[in-house]
mmCIF file of all heavy atoms in Angstrom:
data_model
loop_
_atom_site.group_PDB
_atom_site.id
_atom_site.type_symbol
_atom_site.label_atom_id
_atom_site.label_comp_id
_atom_site.label_asym_id
_atom_site.label_seq_id
_atom_site.Cartn_x
_atom_site.Cartn_y
_atom_site.Cartn_z
ATOM 1 N N ILE A 1 -3.043 -12.091 6.292
ATOM 2 C CA ILE A 1 -2.398 -13.151 7.060
ATOM 3 C C ILE A 1 -1.536 -12.488 8.127
ATOM 4 O O ILE A 1 -0.663 -11.689 7.804
ATOM 5 C CB ILE A 1 -1.529 -14.058 6.166
ATOM 6 C CG1 ILE A 1 -2.398 -14.848 5.200
ATOM 7 C CG2 ILE A 1 -0.687 -15.009 7.017
ATOM 8 C CD1 ILE A 1 -1.619 -15.666 4.186
ATOM 9 N N THR A 2 -1.812 -12.798 9.377
ATOM 10 C CA THR A 2 -1.046 -12.224 10.476
ATOM 11 C C THR A 2 -0.838 -13.279 11.551
ATOM 12 O O THR A 2 -1.576 -14.253 11.640
ATOM 13 C CB THR A 2 -1.774 -11.026 11.114
ATOM 14 O OG1 THR A 2 -3.003 -11.493 11.703
ATOM 15 C CG2 THR A 2 -2.080 -9.936 10.098
ATOM 16 N N LYS A 3 0.158 -13.032 12.360
ATOM 17 C CA LYS A 3 0.376 -13.924 13.486
ATOM 18 C C LYS A 3 -0.802 -13.864 14.459
ATOM 19 O O LYS A 3 -1.167 -14.863 15.063
ATOM 20 C CB LYS A 3 1.684 -13.564 14.204
ATOM 21 C CG LYS A 3 2.935 -13.881 13.400
ATOM 22 C CD LYS A 3 4.204 -13.580 14.196
ATOM 23 C CE LYS A 3 5.451 -13.923 13.393
ATOM 24 N NZ LYS A 3 6.696 -13.685 14.152
ATOM 25 N N SER A 4 -1.413 -12.686 14.592
ATOM 26 C CA SER A 4 -2.491 -12.542 15.570
ATOM 27 C C SER A 4 -3.715 -13.376 15.200
ATOM 28 O O SER A 4 -4.384 -13.919 16.080
ATOM 29 C CB SER A 4 -2.887 -11.068 15.728
ATOM 30 O OG SER A 4 -3.355 -10.537 14.508
ATOM 31 N N VAL A 5 -4.031 -13.492 13.906
ATOM 32 C CA VAL A 5 -5.157 -14.334 13.497
ATOM 33 C C VAL A 5 -4.896 -15.777 13.907
ATOM 34 O O VAL A 5 -5.768 -16.468 14.445
ATOM 35 C CB VAL A 5 -5.381 -14.232 11.969
ATOM 36 C CG1 VAL A 5 -6.385 -15.280 11.511
ATOM 37 C CG2 VAL A 5 -5.874 -12.835 11.604
ATOM 38 N N ALA A 6 -3.662 -16.250 13.679
ATOM 39 C CA ALA A 6 -3.307 -17.617 14.067
ATOM 40 C C ALA A 6 -3.311 -17.779 15.585
ATOM 41 O O ALA A 6 -3.725 -18.816 16.112
ATOM 42 C CB ALA A 6 -1.938 -17.968 13.502
ATOM 43 N N ILE A 7 -2.868 -16.749 16.290
ATOM 44 C CA ILE A 7 -2.855 -16.808 17.757
ATOM 45 C C ILE A 7 -4.274 -16.969 18.297
ATOM 46 O O ILE A 7 -4.516 -17.743 19.233
ATOM 47 C CB ILE A 7 -2.174 -15.556 18.340
ATOM 48 C CG1 ILE A 7 -0.658 -15.681 18.174
ATOM 49 C CG2 ILE A 7 -2.536 -15.350 19.812
ATOM 50 C CD1 ILE A 7 0.105 -14.445 18.564
ATOM 51 N N LEU A 8 -5.226 -16.260 17.718
ATOM 52 C CA LEU A 8 -6.614 -16.406 18.159
ATOM 53 C C LEU A 8 -7.106 -17.837 17.963
ATOM 54 O O LEU A 8 -7.851 -18.364 18.795
ATOM 55 C CB LEU A 8 -7.509 -15.417 17.415
ATOM 56 C CG LEU A 8 -7.359 -13.949 17.810
ATOM 57 C CD1 LEU A 8 -8.139 -13.047 16.861
ATOM 58 C CD2 LEU A 8 -7.815 -13.726 19.248
ATOM 59 N N LYS A 9 -6.678 -18.468 16.871
ATOM 60 C CA LYS A 9 -7.037 -19.870 16.635
ATOM 61 C C LYS A 9 -6.426 -20.777 17.701
ATOM 62 O O LYS A 9 -7.070 -21.716 18.190
ATOM 63 C CB LYS A 9 -6.569 -20.311 15.245
ATOM 64 C CG LYS A 9 -7.186 -19.549 14.094
ATOM 65 C CD LYS A 9 -8.646 -19.905 13.895
ATOM 66 C CE LYS A 9 -9.199 -19.232 12.643
ATOM 67 N NZ LYS A 9 -10.625 -19.544 12.420
ATOM 68 N N VAL A 10 -5.169 -20.495 18.064
ATOM 69 C CA VAL A 10 -4.487 -21.296 19.094
ATOM 70 C C VAL A 10 -5.146 -21.091 20.451
ATOM 71 O O VAL A 10 -5.378 -22.063 21.190
ATOM 72 C CB VAL A 10 -2.994 -20.928 19.151
ATOM 73 C CG1 VAL A 10 -2.320 -21.589 20.360
ATOM 74 C CG2 VAL A 10 -2.289 -21.346 17.874
ATOM 75 N N LEU A 11 -5.461 -19.864 20.778
ATOM 76 C CA LEU A 11 -6.116 -19.575 22.068
ATOM 77 C C LEU A 11 -7.463 -20.290 22.147
ATOM 78 O O LEU A 11 -7.815 -20.851 23.193
ATOM 79 C CB LEU A 11 -6.292 -18.069 22.242
ATOM 80 C CG LEU A 11 -5.009 -17.251 22.432
ATOM 81 C CD1 LEU A 11 -5.329 -15.757 22.414
ATOM 82 C CD2 LEU A 11 -4.311 -17.618 23.734
ATOM 83 N N ASP A 12 -8.200 -20.264 21.065
ATOM 84 C CA ASP A 12 -9.486 -20.957 21.035
ATOM 85 C C ASP A 12 -9.291 -22.469 21.186
ATOM 86 O O ASP A 12 -10.057 -23.130 21.898
ATOM 87 C CB ASP A 12 -10.205 -20.644 19.716
ATOM 88 C CG ASP A 12 -11.583 -21.278 19.640
ATOM 89 O OD1 ASP A 12 -12.445 -20.925 20.466
ATOM 90 O OD2 ASP A 12 -11.801 -22.127 18.757
ATOM 91 N N TYR A 13 -8.267 -22.990 20.544
ATOM 92 C CA TYR A 13 -7.978 -24.430 20.607
ATOM 93 C C TYR A 13 -7.696 -24.876 22.043
ATOM 94 O O TYR A 13 -8.154 -25.931 22.484
ATOM 95 C CB TYR A 13 -6.781 -24.739 19.707
ATOM 96 C CG TYR A 13 -6.422 -26.204 19.616
ATOM 97 C CD1 TYR A 13 -7.119 -27.062 18.777
ATOM 98 C CD2 TYR A 13 -5.373 -26.723 20.378
ATOM 99 C CE1 TYR A 13 -6.789 -28.418 18.688
ATOM 100 C CE2 TYR A 13 -5.035 -28.070 20.297
ATOM 101 C CZ TYR A 13 -5.739 -28.907 19.450
ATOM 102 O OH TYR A 13 -5.415 -30.246 19.378
ATOM 103 N N PHE A 14 -6.952 -24.049 22.779
ATOM 104 C CA PHE A 14 -6.595 -24.386 24.157
ATOM 105 C C PHE A 14 -7.566 -23.798 25.187
ATOM 106 O O PHE A 14 -7.378 -23.986 26.394
ATOM 107 C CB PHE A 14 -5.179 -23.916 24.474
ATOM 108 C CG PHE A 14 -4.103 -24.694 23.774
ATOM 109 C CD1 PHE A 14 -3.206 -24.057 22.935
ATOM 110 C CD2 PHE A 14 -3.989 -26.061 23.959
ATOM 111 C CE1 PHE A 14 -2.196 -24.777 22.291
ATOM 112 C CE2 PHE A 14 -2.987 -26.790 23.322
ATOM 113 C CZ PHE A 14 -2.093 -26.147 22.486
ATOM 114 N N ASN A 15 -8.571 -23.049 24.703
ATOM 115 C CA ASN A 15 -9.550 -22.410 25.585
ATOM 116 C C ASN A 15 -8.865 -21.481 26.595
ATOM 117 O O ASN A 15 -9.089 -21.546 27.808
ATOM 118 C CB ASN A 15 -10.392 -23.454 26.327
ATOM 119 C CG ASN A 15 -11.624 -22.846 26.975
ATOM 120 O OD1 ASN A 15 -12.152 -21.825 26.519
ATOM 121 N ND2 ASN A 15 -12.084 -23.448 28.061
ATOM 122 N N ILE A 16 -8.022 -20.602 26.064
ATOM 123 C CA ILE A 16 -7.301 -19.617 26.877
ATOM 124 C C ILE A 16 -7.671 -18.228 26.380
ATOM 125 O O ILE A 16 -7.743 -17.989 25.164
ATOM 126 C CB ILE A 16 -5.774 -19.831 26.780
ATOM 127 C CG1 ILE A 16 -5.387 -21.200 27.368
ATOM 128 C CG2 ILE A 16 -5.013 -18.716 27.499
ATOM 129 C CD1 ILE A 16 -3.921 -21.558 27.180
ATOM 130 N N HIS A 17 -7.894 -17.289 27.286
ATOM 131 C CA HIS A 17 -8.227 -15.909 26.911
ATOM 132 C C HIS A 17 -6.956 -15.150 26.561
ATOM 133 O O HIS A 17 -5.888 -15.406 27.118
ATOM 134 C CB HIS A 17 -8.959 -15.211 28.068
ATOM 135 C CG HIS A 17 -9.579 -13.907 27.658
ATOM 136 N ND1 HIS A 17 -8.912 -12.703 27.745
ATOM 137 C CD2 HIS A 17 -10.804 -13.623 27.139
ATOM 138 C CE1 HIS A 17 -9.691 -11.737 27.312
ATOM 139 N NE2 HIS A 17 -10.845 -12.260 26.942
ATOM 140 N N GLN A 18 -7.074 -14.183 25.639
ATOM 141 C CA GLN A 18 -5.893 -13.428 25.208
ATOM 142 C C GLN A 18 -5.251 -12.646 26.349
ATOM 143 O O GLN A 18 -4.041 -12.388 26.324
ATOM 144 C CB GLN A 18 -6.241 -12.489 24.053
ATOM 145 C CG GLN A 18 -7.204 -11.368 24.386
ATOM 146 C CD GLN A 18 -7.695 -10.661 23.135
ATOM 147 O OE1 GLN A 18 -8.426 -11.238 22.334
ATOM 148 N NE2 GLN A 18 -7.283 -9.418 22.951
ATOM 149 N N SER A 19 -6.032 -12.292 27.369
ATOM 150 C CA SER A 19 -5.462 -11.577 28.514
ATOM 151 C C SER A 19 -4.509 -12.457 29.311
ATOM 152 O O SER A 19 -3.684 -11.951 30.091
ATOM 153 C CB SER A 19 -6.574 -11.070 29.438
ATOM 154 O OG SER A 19 -7.288 -12.165 30.003
ATOM 155 N N GLU A 20 -4.596 -13.773 29.102
ATOM 156 C CA GLU A 20 -3.739 -14.724 29.810
ATOM 157 C C GLU A 20 -2.503 -15.097 28.999
ATOM 158 O O GLU A 20 -1.769 -16.016 29.355
ATOM 159 C CB GLU A 20 -4.534 -15.991 30.140
ATOM 160 C CG GLU A 20 -5.750 -15.726 31.026
ATOM 161 C CD GLU A 20 -6.656 -16.932 31.180
ATOM 162 O OE1 GLU A 20 -7.102 -17.472 30.143
ATOM 163 O OE2 GLU A 20 -6.911 -17.327 32.332
ATOM 164 N N ALA A 21 -2.264 -14.345 27.919
ATOM 165 C CA ALA A 21 -1.151 -14.640 27.011
ATOM 166 C C ALA A 21 -0.051 -13.600 27.110
ATOM 167 O O ALA A 21 -0.297 -12.404 27.300
ATOM 168 C CB ALA A 21 -1.661 -14.707 25.571
ATOM 169 N N ILE A 22 1.184 -14.061 26.962
ATOM 170 C CA ILE A 22 2.361 -13.212 26.832
ATOM 171 C C ILE A 22 2.908 -13.425 25.437
ATOM 172 O O ILE A 22 2.905 -14.546 24.924
ATOM 173 C CB ILE A 22 3.451 -13.579 27.857
ATOM 174 C CG1 ILE A 22 2.917 -13.501 29.282
ATOM 175 C CG2 ILE A 22 4.675 -12.673 27.700
ATOM 176 C CD1 ILE A 22 3.897 -14.038 30.330
ATOM 177 N N ALA A 23 3.379 -12.359 24.792
ATOM 178 C CA ALA A 23 3.989 -12.497 23.470
ATOM 179 C C ALA A 23 5.301 -11.720 23.420
ATOM 180 O O ALA A 23 5.375 -10.579 23.884
ATOM 181 C CB ALA A 23 3.046 -12.003 22.382
ATOM 182 N N PHE A 24 6.326 -12.356 22.884
ATOM 183 C CA PHE A 24 7.637 -11.738 22.686
ATOM 184 C C PHE A 24 7.918 -11.621 21.192
ATOM 185 O O PHE A 24 7.696 -12.573 20.437
ATOM 186 C CB PHE A 24 8.737 -12.627 23.278
ATOM 187 C CG PHE A 24 8.859 -12.623 24.771
ATOM 188 C CD1 PHE A 24 8.040 -13.429 25.544
ATOM 189 C CD2 PHE A 24 9.822 -11.842 25.402
ATOM 190 C CE1 PHE A 24 8.173 -13.460 26.931
ATOM 191 C CE2 PHE A 24 9.958 -11.862 26.781
ATOM 192 C CZ PHE A 24 9.139 -12.668 27.551
ATOM 193 N N GLY A 25 8.458 -10.479 20.766
ATOM 194 C CA GLY A 25 8.828 -10.331 19.363
ATOM 195 C C GLY A 25 9.883 -9.270 19.156
ATOM 196 O O GLY A 25 10.225 -8.522 20.084
ATOM 197 N N ASP A 26 10.396 -9.198 17.925
ATOM 198 C CA ASP A 26 11.409 -8.184 17.609
ATOM 199 C C ASP A 26 11.160 -7.480 16.283
ATOM 200 O O ASP A 26 11.779 -6.462 16.006
ATOM 201 C CB ASP A 26 12.809 -8.811 17.580
ATOM 202 C CG ASP A 26 13.060 -9.591 16.294
ATOM 203 O OD1 ASP A 26 12.220 -10.445 15.957
ATOM 204 O OD2 ASP A 26 14.083 -9.336 15.637
ATOM 205 N N GLY A 27 10.255 -8.029 15.450
ATOM 206 C CA GLY A 27 10.042 -7.447 14.125
ATOM 207 C C GLY A 27 8.682 -6.796 13.966
ATOM 208 O O GLY A 27 7.790 -6.966 14.802
ATOM 209 N N GLU A 28 8.519 -6.066 12.871
ATOM 210 C CA GLU A 28 7.251 -5.375 12.656
ATOM 211 C C GLU A 28 6.115 -6.344 12.338
ATOM 212 O O GLU A 28 4.947 -6.000 12.513
ATOM 213 C CB GLU A 28 7.412 -4.314 11.568
ATOM 214 C CG GLU A 28 8.351 -3.199 12.019
ATOM 215 C CD GLU A 28 8.345 -1.975 11.129
ATOM 216 O OE1 GLU A 28 7.515 -1.910 10.206
ATOM 217 O OE2 GLU A 28 9.182 -1.088 11.377
ATOM 218 N N ASN A 29 6.444 -7.572 11.918
ATOM 219 C CA ASN A 29 5.403 -8.582 11.741
ATOM 220 C C ASN A 29 4.959 -9.169 13.079
ATOM 221 O O ASN A 29 4.077 -10.023 13.127
ATOM 222 C CB ASN A 29 5.872 -9.700 10.800
ATOM 223 C CG ASN A 29 7.117 -10.417 11.304
ATOM 224 O OD1 ASN A 29 7.992 -9.820 11.914
ATOM 225 N ND2 ASN A 29 7.204 -11.700 11.017
ATOM 226 N N ASP A 30 5.557 -8.683 14.176
ATOM 227 C CA ASP A 30 5.156 -9.103 15.524
ATOM 228 C C ASP A 30 4.265 -8.077 16.215
ATOM 229 O O ASP A 30 3.781 -8.325 17.322
ATOM 230 C CB ASP A 30 6.394 -9.338 16.402
ATOM 231 C CG ASP A 30 7.291 -10.431 15.874
ATOM 232 O OD1 ASP A 30 6.751 -11.447 15.397
ATOM 233 O OD2 ASP A 30 8.528 -10.279 15.925
ATOM 234 N N ILE A 31 4.046 -6.930 15.594
ATOM 235 C CA ILE A 31 3.294 -5.858 16.249
ATOM 236 C C ILE A 31 1.883 -6.303 16.610
ATOM 237 O O ILE A 31 1.426 -6.127 17.747
ATOM 238 C CB ILE A 31 3.254 -4.590 15.364
ATOM 239 C CG1 ILE A 31 4.652 -3.964 15.289
ATOM 240 C CG2 ILE A 31 2.247 -3.577 15.933
ATOM 241 C CD1 ILE A 31 4.741 -2.772 14.339
ATOM 242 N N ASP A 32 1.168 -6.883 15.657
ATOM 243 C CA ASP A 32 -0.207 -7.306 15.939
ATOM 244 C C ASP A 32 -0.244 -8.377 17.017
ATOM 245 O O ASP A 32 -1.191 -8.454 17.803
ATOM 246 C CB ASP A 32 -0.892 -7.796 14.666
ATOM 247 C CG ASP A 32 -0.235 -9.030 14.074
ATOM 248 O OD1 ASP A 32 0.940 -8.942 13.684
ATOM 249 O OD2 ASP A 32 -0.893 -10.086 14.020
ATOM 250 N N MET A 33 0.793 -9.189 17.080
ATOM 251 C CA MET A 33 0.864 -10.262 18.070
ATOM 252 C C MET A 33 1.034 -9.704 19.483
ATOM 253 O O MET A 33 0.323 -10.115 20.403
ATOM 254 C CB MET A 33 2.038 -11.191 17.719
ATOM 255 C CG MET A 33 2.312 -12.280 18.724
ATOM 256 S SD MET A 33 3.559 -13.467 18.145
ATOM 257 C CE MET A 33 5.077 -12.552 18.448
ATOM 258 N N ILE A 34 1.948 -8.763 19.646
ATOM 259 C CA ILE A 34 2.166 -8.247 21.002
ATOM 260 C C ILE A 34 1.046 -7.307 21.438
ATOM 261 O O ILE A 34 0.799 -7.142 22.629
ATOM 262 C CB ILE A 34 3.549 -7.570 21.156
ATOM 263 C CG1 ILE A 34 3.656 -6.297 20.341
ATOM 264 C CG2 ILE A 34 4.680 -8.530 20.801
ATOM 265 C CD1 ILE A 34 4.866 -5.467 20.697
ATOM 266 N N GLU A 35 0.350 -6.723 20.462
ATOM 267 C CA GLU A 35 -0.811 -5.905 20.819
ATOM 268 C C GLU A 35 -1.984 -6.771 21.258
ATOM 269 O O GLU A 35 -2.775 -6.368 22.114
ATOM 270 C CB GLU A 35 -1.221 -5.022 19.636
ATOM 271 C CG GLU A 35 -0.255 -3.881 19.355
ATOM 272 C CD GLU A 35 -0.690 -3.016 18.190
ATOM 273 O OE1 GLU A 35 -1.424 -3.520 17.316
ATOM 274 O OE2 GLU A 35 -0.290 -1.837 18.151
#
């Protein structure tokens, strides 16, 4: 379970490519998201 898996679901829902996304975080559970 990661934030990035959920983010891919959200991007697909809105039909947005990951290159068009910005992510902000501060914790190690945010690493996969900002990558």
Side-chain angles (χ1 to χ4, degrees):
I1 293 174
T2 64
K3 290 183 179 182
S4 61
V5 170
I7 284 173
L8 288 171
K9 298 288 186 181
V10 171
L11 292 173
D12 183 63
Y13 183 81
F14 290 121
N15 194 27
I16 296 174
H17 192 270
Q18 66 191 68
S19 64
E20 300 171 305
I22 303 172
F24 285 83
D26 77 308
E28 294 192 7
N29 59 325
D30 299 320
I31 291 175
D32 63 297
M33 175 172 79
I34 67 168
E35 288 181 335

